[in-house]
Structure formats: structure tokens, C-alpha cells
Amino acid sequence: MVIPIALAISLIFVGFTVYADEAQNFVIRTQEEGDVRLSLTMQEDLSRQTSVLSVPFVGSQTNSSFDPLAPGYEDYLYDSENNNEYNIPNNIAQLSGQHFGTYYDQSGTNFTYSAFSFWLVNNSERAVDIDIIMNLDGLMTNYNDYDHHIDDVLRVMFIEGSPLLTDNTYTVYAKAEDPEHPWHDDALLEDSSLTVNYDSVDFESETCIFRREGDLGLRNLAAGAAIKYTVVLWLEGNDEQCTSHIFGERAKLSIDFVGH
């Protein structure tokens, strides 16, 4: 199934690179107190555990959108042969490793979304409580004269476990809407008969996407237990600030799991 949302809105290609330190990576870390022992892995068999994961991202990403109400969406599953994935597959959280939606044109391969799954493992001898903090650590841009940047159009989906997206257990995070720049262009949507079919939660701050701490965090993860998480990133094509100058900008993102 091809969801032509981005094409209907704009054919402007907008690129982003997630980077950390000298590498183009999304960094995930564990922080531990006392006898807490946490590990991370992208392997379903829980092998190759580490305290820091660096998930590489390469290439350019087009503007896209997520439409969970598209006709037949419940049957829209990941297909590595599908070259026009403008929607996020319903089973994205049931996959392992790293996945991209792809779009081909004369410029080459562009990504419509970027996703990866990983497991958090409690290797402690007791159950632990874990705070989860996703950070927006910085931006790299050559367009300081503009009043909007990649973080204004970035969408972050965070999923726990392996549900279908039609189970409605995901959360989408977006930067708080600027009243002068609505994140969906109502006039454009009216002209194209499109709708925005998902809700989003505002970023915690300019430097933090979300903080799940205390009762909002992961509580009482049993000794020896593992829990799966999936992160999906895209640039929202319905956002009126999704313009061509964002091409080449970079966002530095990270997640910290703090065990108690």
C-alpha cells in the first residue's frame, strides 16, 4: 500500500542525520545505582549486551506522515521489497533491528522513516525501577537566519513491547506548536482533502523529548527480565515548517535508562 501523503503535500526532500559525538548515531545508555545492573542489545536472543548502544543513521530522509486511519492500514505490514513506504507499517514494533521506509527518485534512495528496536535487560539480582529520559542534545545547522529548524518538524514515536500500531499503545512526540506556525497547514489540508490522523505529546522542553520518571517510569522490572522498545523517526510533511532549508540539518538524540 502506498500512502501518497508526502507527495500530495510537497516533493521537497528534507534530510536529517541523527548524530552523536563524531559518529552519525542515536545513542542509548544505561545509568545504574548501587547493585543495579542493566544492559542493552539489538539482538532478539539478547546476545551482544552492552551498556551503550550506538545506532547508525545514513542517507537523506524525505518528508512523510503517519496515517493509522488509511484504508487497509491494519493489513499494512513491513515489506523490505516495498520501495514507496510513506506510512509506518502496522507491525513495525514486531520487527528486530533497524528498518527504513524508502523512496527512490533521480537523486537516489531517500528514507521516509527510520526505525530501530532494542531490548533493555535487567541483569540485577532484584527487581528494579527505571526512569526513561529521551534527550534532544543539540542541533547542527548552517541556516541560523531561519526561525525554524529540524526539531520543529521531527516526530518521535516510542513503543514498548511488540504491539501492532492499531493497538494504540504508541506515543508520538512533537515540539510544542508555535501559534504562528501551526504544525499542520489547515489550508493545505483542505485543498488536498488530507487529514492528520494521529495525536502527539509536546516535547518536555527545548532539550528533552520526554521524561518518564517516578510512577511514569518503568516500575518493578523483574530480575533477569528484558523489555523491548522501538523508536520511529520521521519528518512531518503536513507541518508548514517542513521546508527545503532543513535539508542537511542534524539532530543529536539520546535515551538514558536510569536504574534504581
Side-chain angles (χ1 to χ4, degrees):
M1 181 178 67
V2 177
I3 306 300
I5 292 175
L7 287 175
I9 297 167
S10 171
L11 287 177
I12 296 173
F13 285 167
V14 185
F16 77 82
T17 303
V18 180
Y19 75 95
D21 300 324
E22 299 301 322
Q24 296 177 0
N25 294 340
F26 189 125
V27 175
I28 310 158
R29 301 171 292 238
T30 61
Q31 299 181 29
E32 304 160 336
E33 297 179 358
D35 61 345
V36 175
R37 298 292 180 268
L38 301 177
S39 294
L40 302 159
T41 180
M42 292 184 69
Q43 307 301 314
E44 190 169 6
D45 64 3
L46 304 185
S47 61
R48 300 171 61 183
Q49 294 184 24
T50 180
S51 61
V52 179
L53 277 178
S54 294
V55 184
F57 285 83
V58 295
S60 297
Q61 182 147 335
T62 77
N63 51 312
S64 186
S65 192
F66 168 50
D67 187 0
L69 299 183
Y73 182 75
E74 63 276 7
D75 297 320
Y76 181 47
L77 306 179
Y78 182 79
D79 179 2
S80 61
E81 300 300 320
N82 187 343
N83 295 329
N84 291 285
E85 296 180 287
Y86 278 103
N87 217 347
I88 299 169
N90 192 20
N91 65 334
I92 192 69
Q94 298 182 346
L95 307 177
S96 300
Q98 193 170 13
H99 303 277
F100 303 93
T102 54
Y103 172 79
Y104 295 143
D105 71 352
Q106 65 273 15
S107 69
T109 303
N110 301 276
F111 300 115
T112 55
Y113 67 82
S114 303
F116 62 91
S117 296
F118 63 95
W119 283 261
L120 173 69
V121 186
N122 179 17
N123 290 317
S124 311
E125 295 183 357
R126 62 173 177 87
V128 299
D129 295 336
I130 302 169
D131 298 331
I132 310 172
I133 305 164
M134 183 178 286
N135 306 292
L136 179 57
D137 295 316
L139 302 175
M140 292 181 63
T141 179
N142 294 321
Y143 299 96
N144 294 319
D145 293 336
Y146 285 84
D147 63 356
H148 58 276
H149 297 284
I150 190 173
D151 56 324
D152 293 300
V153 302
L154 177 65
R155 301 297 182 263
V156 180
M157 178 184 288
F158 192 71
I159 311 166
E160 181 178 301
S162 299
L164 293 171
L165 295 187
T166 46
D167 294 335
N168 295 314
T169 60
Y170 59 83
T171 304
V172 175
Y173 295 91
K175 191 172 181 179
E177 186 175 49
D178 182 346
E180 296 184 3
H181 298 283
W183 81 257
H184 57 276
D185 188 330
D186 291 327
L188 185 62
L189 292 175
E190 183 177 350
D191 290 344
S192 59
S193 300
L194 295 175
T195 56
V196 176
N197 289 323
Y198 66 87
D199 296 320
S200 62
V201 176
D202 290 348
F203 287 173
E204 177 76 15
S205 69
E206 292 287 330
T207 60
C208 181
I209 294 173
F210 67 76
R211 304 180 72 90
R212 299 186 180 186
E213 299 175 303
D215 290 339
L216 298 178
L218 178 59
R219 304 294 89 180
N220 200 37
L221 182 63
I227 188 166
K228 184 182 182 182
Y229 291 100
T230 298
V231 176
V232 188
L233 307 170
W234 74 95
L235 304 181
E236 179 51 63
N238 281 305
D239 195 317
E240 68 169 19
Q241 299 181 94
C242 193
T243 55
S244 58
H245 84 269
I246 291 175
F247 180 84
E249 290 193 336
R250 300 180 180 185
K252 181 178 180 181
L253 302 175
S254 63
I255 302 176
D256 288 306
F257 291 92
V258 184
H260 307 282

